[in-house]
Amino acid sequence: MAGRNAGTELELGWISKVYVNRPAVVRHAEQIKKWKTLKGNWQAAWLLKAVTCMDLTTLSGDDTPSNVQRLCFKAKHPIREDLLKALDMHDKGITVGAVCVYPARVSDAVNTLKAARCNIPVASVAAGFPSGQTPLETKLAEIRLAVEYGAREIDIVISRSLVLTGQWEDLYEEIRLCRAACGEAHMKTILATGELGSLANVYKASMIAMMAGSDFIKTSTGKEVENATFPVGIVMMRAIKEYYWQTGYKVGFKPAGGIRTAKDAITWLMLVKEELGVEWLTPELFRLGASSLLGDIEQQIFYHVTGSYALQHELAMA
Amino acid sequence: MVTGRCSGHFRPVSVVLGPLWPVPPRLGGPSAAMAALAALGAPPVPEIFATMEEGPVPGEINAGEAWLQSHGRSLGHFVAGTWLKPPGRVSLTCPESSTGRPLAAVPAGDRSDVAVAVAAAAAESWAGLGGPQRGQRLTRLAAALAGERRGAVGALLALAGGRPLCRTLGADLDVALRLLRAPAAAAELGLPGLEGWSPLGLVAVVLGGPCSLLALLWKLGPLLAMGNTAVVLCPAAAAPPLLLLAELSGEGAALPPGVLNVLVGPPELRLALRAHPEIASVTFLGVPQEELPAVVWGSPCRGPRLGGPRGGRVVVVVLDSADLDSAAAALAASAAAPPALFPVGGCVVLAQDAVAAALERRLRARLGGLRLGDPTDPKTEVGPLPPGTCPPEGVVQEALQEGAQVFQVPLPPERGHRFYPPTLISGVAPTSRCLRDPTPGPLLVLLSVRSPTEAVAVASALPHTAAAAVWAQDITVALDTADRLPQGLVWLNALDLLDPSGGCAGGAADADLDEALREFGCPPWEQPPKVDELLSPLVTVDDPGDPELAHAVSAARGAAPGWGRLPGAARARALRGAAAALAETPATPGTGGAHGDLRGALLRWAARLERGGGAVQDVPGGRALLTRRPLGVVGVAWGWPRPLAPQLLLPPLALGNAVVVVAPPGGAGPAQRLRKALEAAGLPGGVLTVLPGNSRGSGSGLARHRPDGLWLCGGDADCDWASAVSVPRVWGVPAGLVGAPGQDPPPGAERELELRCTRPHCLWLPGGAP
């Protein structure tokens, strides 16, 4: 593995001949929805993998230190200890992949996790999240502040206007500057695919984001009308594979928004395995952005272990 | 926010009374999931967590096995709505395709069973029900297939046929239902366009070699909708799903007893079927081409009609503006399980040079990710080879020796010899045996081509092609390429979409739904009208010699494409010009009436051309453009003892074919005048050739020169011989269709003539999905 994606020079040739056939991709995605779900120990193991790849997220206007603190503890103990023990997974360090909050809540999250002696990274959205309609200077300043507060991962949003008007050089420059502002922090680039107009644009924006040095590309903010859909995910993963073939860098993928059930989570994992290969199924290369998903996963694992579903009070709230 | 609520699977939970907190979790308690796991011997969670294997899907009872078990694994023939198990017969075994394990036993059928089945076939009562009733009954049969036995049908197709369950229960079954419902709907509407047609009676359908339920339904639906009854003969390996279909046909009062009979027996039994006097027609499905002449040779003059086999490979043209990832995904899926109606034959990919390497890399990655295994596992994508086919090992080795690159996914060691690994052969030329011979199995052959034009040329020269696909985002190049491909079914940026209303046609001899219905019907003009007037004096001449015929056919072959590609209006101009010229020439005494007929016919066909044709059909996932294409060279052999009716030559000419006609010299005169008038009005030389000749042998003489279609006026034996051996479309022209001089052609005749000298062409344009 070549390590962290260093990006490349802007190769407009890589996006000049991009063709995506929407009906074919949609048909492919329809097949995925018919996949049979996994059973038994396989289901449990895949759900735990989904937990370790999860960015446990709260991005609300009414976030306060108290609910962020709760979220952090849930991030450290995503699945009840006795359930993990029953599956012989209690000593495997099963925590979520990261906690994802607004910049103003980063300090709360970092302090809570530090106090809990827990090494889970804090991810911060930045760069004018969710619309990206702020000046570049503000975006960069926001990123630097979030890193200063202790965020080890930054989820930036791109300026959709640059994609829609075809200003690929400007988009490349903007993301490049954001990456520089991130420094050591890993950068996930949110494409907001629901607002890019076409699947070909999704592919091109993915390529530009990777050339500009993104560590992850991410589907959506969760605030658009259309969030992480399978056709979009398929196209982004195909771009990741192509970039890997061209440069040798493995870039991560993060679907986010609208992923609520354990079945959805497993389908995404299976899709990643099909399109990118099993080596992408690690927290370093795959994240699921979700807020309510963890509850359903814990329920399913509870059912797998005990044979019945948990009552509300039997599982800890985040 | 995370809550403790279960959002996915709701289950009523009884309220536990007692201490509310903490409730000890019932670790290790009785759990259905855990029990199933124990049975499976599943690896521990940490191990799966490390490998991320997906595991099998446990615990579901195989509905196919359950059905076989309910019959004690002893099946029989299904005749007259009940099981026929004659005692004292040799027992045939229906094997499981992936392991060879016996699934069930069937007593071998013999001639006495054929007699029983023929006697039981309740032809009259079924025909007497009338179209609307029959349509409703067939719809009920489709409902029975889609109902609770759906699982059993899918599982049996996987068990016996080796197609993965995800296909047999998914796309295959959807197409199967459409194959029944579309002809059923036509029957419910009273078979529009087929007024006055009657059923043939009892039709035998012979399955041989690898043949799917879908291929059978494509014939069976129209056959039953037209009011015929059927005796299906199948080999033991293919029997279980067909016997289940027959059993289902009796449930829910779908089909009356005796309408659908299934016999299981050795291939020799087809001779008994063919020779049986009460069987009106025999259709062969999946009989190897080389065996057909032996079956057909020497058939009696008024013998059963014979329908040919179907199948072939799919040619996929990938141009430089293609969505390569989607193309590779579709190709890998198609290699894993070929389109349902073309179960064997493989897939040839013609990739433009600029994208060939990029496509190959994607294909290798996709083929490597295919899940190969037990076809009854819902996650399997590649099952075993279809029963009755040999592994393509010889072809692959030969390609290797020719210097081809062969990419082969390692085969899991526990898989038996019935499995073949997904394989990609590249760097071969069209001379290679992997492109000449049909090759079953998960095999892709990749050729690079320089341009779309070269792709069309290569695709046109490949043998055994059934359908084609073009992948390109550039719509002009895509449509232009698709238009020039000779295959009758072309998909744009898709593979293996099928629907009877959008054309299931494939291969040179295949038909659309209208033609499929006509294949099993007897037209009102079948009975010849009284012909008093014989050619007098009857002149006997020698048939044209082989060199003469060869010359005429090759001239026609050269002229046909130019004439066929002219717009209809331009061809209409030639017809109108000829009509005007004929009006000026004084009619020969005694043929005045015929002369007038000819002019009228010229004007009518010109008008038909000017009106235009074709249709757009809504199909699942988009639209299909349906047009009719000229066959190319149509040979006409006039063997009736009366003057050639030149009107008969107009439909093939008008619709863009080149025509070589052999007719007695006495009757050839009008045809020669017609040729001169047409050529004066712009018909290119070679499009119409009239040769003198007058014997029953002229049909076979023409057939030897391989025209694309052959019209035989008199002489059924020739017809069968030619259809089996070399000519894809042979038609014995019914005397009643031509009519006596001075008579109007019967209603519906023009449509019939049009269908007989054109072939369906169907272009699928996907799009508009949500």
Side-chain angles (χ1 to χ4, degrees):
Chain A
M1 194 169 151
R4 193 178 170 189
N5 176 25
T8 64
E9 295 293 308
L10 177 63
E11 299 273 0
L12 283 177
W14 292 359
I15 62 162
S16 66
K17 290 206 165 170
V18 166
Y19 305 101
V20 183
N21 190 273
R22 200 181 107 85
V25 175
V26 169
R27 266 201 313 280
H28 192 73
E30 291 296 318
Q31 296 304 313
I32 289 155
K33 287 182 194 157
K34 291 180 193 155
W35 281 348
K36 294 282 172 182
T37 183
L38 305 176
K39 296 281 197 280
N41 274 7
W42 284 279
Q43 188 191 48
W46 279 63
L47 287 176
L48 290 177
K49 181 66 82 177
V51 169
T52 62
C53 292
M54 188 183 300
D55 280 2
L56 193 59
T57 304
T58 180
L59 292 169
S60 303
D62 57 359
D63 284 344
T64 64
S66 64
N67 75 320
V68 168
Q69 188 184 24
R70 219 165 46 220
L71 194 75
C72 289
F73 282 115
K74 188 70 187 174
K76 190 186 174 191
H77 304 287
I79 307 290
R80 234 167 66 177
E81 190 68 17
D82 52 350
L83 299 177
L84 288 180
K85 230 175 214 147
L87 299 172
D88 199 19
M89 290 294 288
H90 54 287
D91 52 357
K92 300 290 188 299
I94 300 290
T95 65
V96 301
V99 173
C100 183
V101 293
Y102 269 119
R105 298 273 75 81
V106 169
S107 307
D108 302 334
V110 169
N111 293 336
T112 310
L113 287 169
K114 195 180 280 172
R117 305 223 179 94
C118 173
N119 197 30
I120 301 172
V122 174
S124 169
V125 296
F129 183 94
S131 68
Q133 299 282 21
T134 54
L136 184 56
E137 286 76 16
T138 332
K139 289 182 183 176
L140 297 176
E142 195 182 8
I143 294 170
R144 286 192 202 102
L145 280 173
V147 174
E148 206 172 287
Y149 296 155
R152 277 150 58 194
E153 299 179 359
I154 304 290
D155 289 22
I156 64 158
V157 290
I158 61 165
S159 299
R160 277 74 110 184
S161 64
L162 296 179
V163 175
L164 293 169
T165 55
Q167 302 180 64
W168 304 113
E169 292 94 338
D170 294 354
L171 181 67
Y172 175 82
E173 278 311 317
E174 186 184 292
I175 301 173
R176 196 103 194 124
L177 289 171
C178 290
R179 163 73 197 267
C182 287
E184 285 305 302
H186 278 224
M187 182 173 79
K188 305 189 203 112
T189 304
I190 303 174
L191 304 178
T193 53
E195 296 176 353
L196 294 186
S198 72
L199 289 179
N201 272 353
V202 169
Y203 192 103
K204 291 177 185 177
S206 303
M207 270 304 189
I208 296 281
M210 288 185 283
M211 285 185 240
S214 306
D215 297 291
F216 268 80
I217 52 175
K218 174 174 167 185
T219 57
S220 4
T221 62
K223 312 285 185 192
E224 290 94 45
V225 177
E226 195 183 303
N227 289 306
T229 61
F230 292 128
V232 159
I234 289 168
V235 169
M236 289 173 68
M237 283 189 262
R238 288 173 179 177
I240 289 173
K241 188 102 185 182
E242 174 68 17
Y243 185 78
Y244 169 62
W245 277 332
Q246 296 285 354
T247 66
Y249 288 124
K250 289 179 176 170
V251 173
F253 172 62
K254 176 177 172 185
I259 305 169
R260 293 196 181 86
T261 65
K263 186 174 186 302
D264 285 349
I266 288 186
T267 308
W268 275 108
L269 285 165
M270 289 168 75
L271 187 56
V272 169
K273 189 178 170 189
E274 180 185 284
E275 291 284 337
L276 292 172
V278 72
E279 66 266 33
W280 252 265
L281 289 182
T282 72
E284 286 75 47
L285 290 172
F286 178 67
R287 293 289 175 83
L288 279 160
S291 46
S292 62
L293 169 64
L294 185 55
D296 193 38
I297 291 185
E298 201 179 4
Q299 268 288 5
Q300 298 305 327
I301 289 184
F302 188 96
Y303 179 78
H304 172 68
V305 173
T306 67
S308 67
Y309 285 106
L311 299 177
Q312 198 176 358
H313 65 258
E314 287 180 303
L315 297 175
M317 176 183 167
Chain B
M1 294 299 298
V2 178
T3 67
R5 210 157 34 85
C6 146
S7 55
H9 311 259
F10 175 75
R11 250 180 210 222
V13 180
S14 58
V15 176
V16 183
L17 296 177
L20 276 181
W21 183 264
V23 176
R26 283 149 285 164
L27 293 183
S31 148
M34 293 295 268
L37 277 181
L40 272 173
V45 172
E47 192 183 319
I48 306 172
F49 187 81
T51 61
M52 293 305 281
E53 290 294 324
E54 282 149 63
V57 176
E60 287 174 26
I61 299 156
N62 185 318
E65 296 275 9
W67 180 77
L68 290 168
Q69 209 64 52
S70 74
H71 286 279
R73 297 197 180 267
S74 152
L75 302 171
H77 314 292
F78 199 84
V79 171
T82 182
W83 291 93
L84 175 67
K85 297 181 182 177
R89 296 283 175 78
V90 181
S91 181
L92 301 175
T93 322
C94 314
E96 185 183 9
S97 59
S98 53
T99 59
R101 169 179 69 98
L103 289 175
V106 193
D110 67 14
R111 281 168 188 272
S112 65
D113 301 326
V114 171
V116 173
V118 169
E124 271 154 34
S125 65
W126 177 241
L129 277 180
Q133 265 293 324
R134 285 200 304 270
Q136 286 169 19
R137 301 292 189 102
L138 280 172
T139 309
R140 254 180 258 169
L141 175 59
L145 258 185
E148 56 188 28
R149 307 298 278 279
R150 185 187 180 102
V153 177
L156 282 180
L157 285 171
L159 276 172
R163 262 177 96 76
L165 197 65
C166 63
R167 297 299 185 95
T168 58
L169 268 181
D172 284 14
L173 201 61
D174 294 343
V175 177
L177 296 177
R178 286 289 303 146
L179 288 172
L180 275 174
R181 282 183 177 140
E188 274 194 82
L189 295 172
L191 299 163
L194 298 177
E195 291 81 6
W197 286 58
S198 51
L200 295 174
L202 175 57
V203 177
V205 182
V206 178
L207 277 84
C211 185
S212 69
L213 176 70
L214 269 70
L216 173 66
L217 286 177
W218 171 229
K219 293 292 180 191
L220 200 59
L223 187 163
L224 295 175
M226 283 302 286
N228 304 286
T229 51
V231 174
V232 178
L233 171 66
C234 67
L242 305 185
L243 288 168
L244 173 58
L245 175 75
E247 195 190 60
L248 276 178
S249 76
E251 285 177 11
L255 305 184
V259 171
L260 174 58
N261 307 286
V262 176
L263 295 179
V264 185
E268 298 84 66
L269 218 51
R270 61 194 175 198
L271 297 173
L273 285 172
R274 209 209 60 198
H276 200 287
E278 284 185 45
I279 291 179
S281 164
V282 183
T283 293
F284 292 92
L285 292 171
V287 175
Q289 191 77 31
E290 56 269 22
E291 284 181 31
L292 256 193
V295 179
V296 173
W297 187 253
S299 48
C301 218
R302 270 303 306 164
R305 301 172 175 206
L306 298 164
R310 60 174 301 130
R313 53 160 63 95
V314 179
V315 189
V316 184
V317 178
V318 181
L319 299 176
D320 60 2
S321 68
D323 176 354
L324 296 180
D325 287 300
S326 292
L331 278 166
S334 161
L341 274 175
F342 318 117
V344 282
C347 198
V348 179
V349 190
L350 308 178
Q352 209 169 342
D353 273 334
V355 293
L359 180 69
E360 185 170 353
R361 187 165 60 197
R362 284 164 172 78
L363 283 175
R364 288 179 177 212
R366 293 270 167 194
L367 290 179
L370 289 176
R371 285 184 289 264
L372 183 140
D374 181 358
T376 57
D377 181 335
K379 279 205 281 292
T380 295
E381 290 166 294
V382 189
L385 294 167
T389 54
C390 304
E393 190 54 37
V395 174
V396 172
Q397 286 307 325
E398 204 167 297
L400 264 176
Q401 280 155 22
E402 285 175 337
Q405 288 89 53
V406 175
F407 167 81
Q408 214 158 41
V409 180
L411 193 65
E414 72 275 14
R415 291 295 157 203
H417 66 285
R418 291 302 305 158
F419 284 84
Y420 198 77
T423 303
L424 173 70
I425 303 180
S426 54
V428 286
T431 47
S432 180
R433 200 154 69 86
C434 60
L435 287 171
R436 307 310 301 173
D437 293 354
T439 43
L443 187 68
L444 290 176
V445 184
L446 177 70
L447 259 78
S448 54
V449 291
R450 288 171 298 175
S451 64
T453 310
E454 193 173 59
V456 171
V458 175
S460 308
L462 284 174
H464 317 296
T465 56
V470 177
W471 284 79
Q473 284 298 98
D474 180 331
I475 186 165
T476 313
V477 177
L479 287 176
D480 183 51
T481 309
D483 204 52
R484 287 185 291 153
L485 285 170
Q487 285 78 16
L489 175 58
V490 183
W491 296 292
L492 214 58
N493 293 315
L495 263 176
D496 93 348
L497 297 171
L498 290 167
D499 188 84
S501 68
C504 276
D510 227 321
D512 64 14
L513 183 60
D514 193 10
E515 285 171 290
L517 287 166
R518 282 160 192 261
E519 187 182 335
F520 298 108
C522 183
W525 47 78
E526 190 71 45
Q527 296 311 315
K530 257 197 157 34
V531 183
D532 309 328
E533 156 216 24
L534 286 179
L535 183 65
S536 53
L538 195 69
V539 187
T540 313
V541 292
D542 287 339
D543 275 330
D546 253 4
E548 248 179 306
L549 277 173
H551 181 74
V553 171
S554 89
R557 202 171 289 292
W563 176 243
R565 273 201 292 269
L566 277 183
R571 278 181 265 132
R573 229 176 359 256
L575 298 190
R576 287 195 188 279
L582 284 176
E584 283 162 21
T585 23
T588 333
T591 59
H595 213 142
D597 287 348
L598 182 57
R599 271 180 42 227
L602 277 165
L603 296 176
R604 270 194 74 77
W605 281 101
R608 271 186 92 91
L609 287 177
E610 280 157 351
R611 191 195 60 186
V616 180
Q617 180 77 45
D618 275 328
V619 283
R623 266 148 296 280
L625 306 186
L626 307 175
T627 47
R628 306 281 313 180
R629 293 275 176 91
L631 297 180
V633 178
V634 175
V636 180
W638 186 269
W640 285 320
R642 54 183 168 129
L644 169 71
Q647 296 93 310
L648 187 66
L649 308 178
L650 291 182
L653 283 173
L655 295 166
N657 298 283
V659 177
V660 177
V661 52
V662 181
Q672 290 290 9
R673 270 198 298 285
L674 172 67
R675 181 179 64 80
K676 281 186 192 131
L678 279 168
E679 283 180 358
L683 186 80
V687 173
L688 175 58
T689 311
V690 185
L691 295 172
N694 182 29
S695 87
R696 298 186 58 82
S698 54
S700 347
L702 265 170
R704 264 198 299 282
H705 295 282
R706 317 283 301 270
D708 304 294
L710 185 55
W711 287 12
L712 297 160
C713 307
D716 275 346
D718 288 349
C719 177
D720 292 339
W721 181 82
S723 76
V725 175
S726 56
V727 181
R729 288 164 172 266
V730 181
W731 183 37
V733 183
L737 187 62
V738 182
Q743 276 177 3
D744 279 339
E750 281 180 6
R751 171 75 180 151
E752 176 76 2
L753 287 162
E754 184 183 346
L755 291 176
R756 293 295 182 172
C757 59
T758 52
R759 61 189 173 85
H761 187 268
C762 177
L763 176 61
W764 281 71
L765 304 172

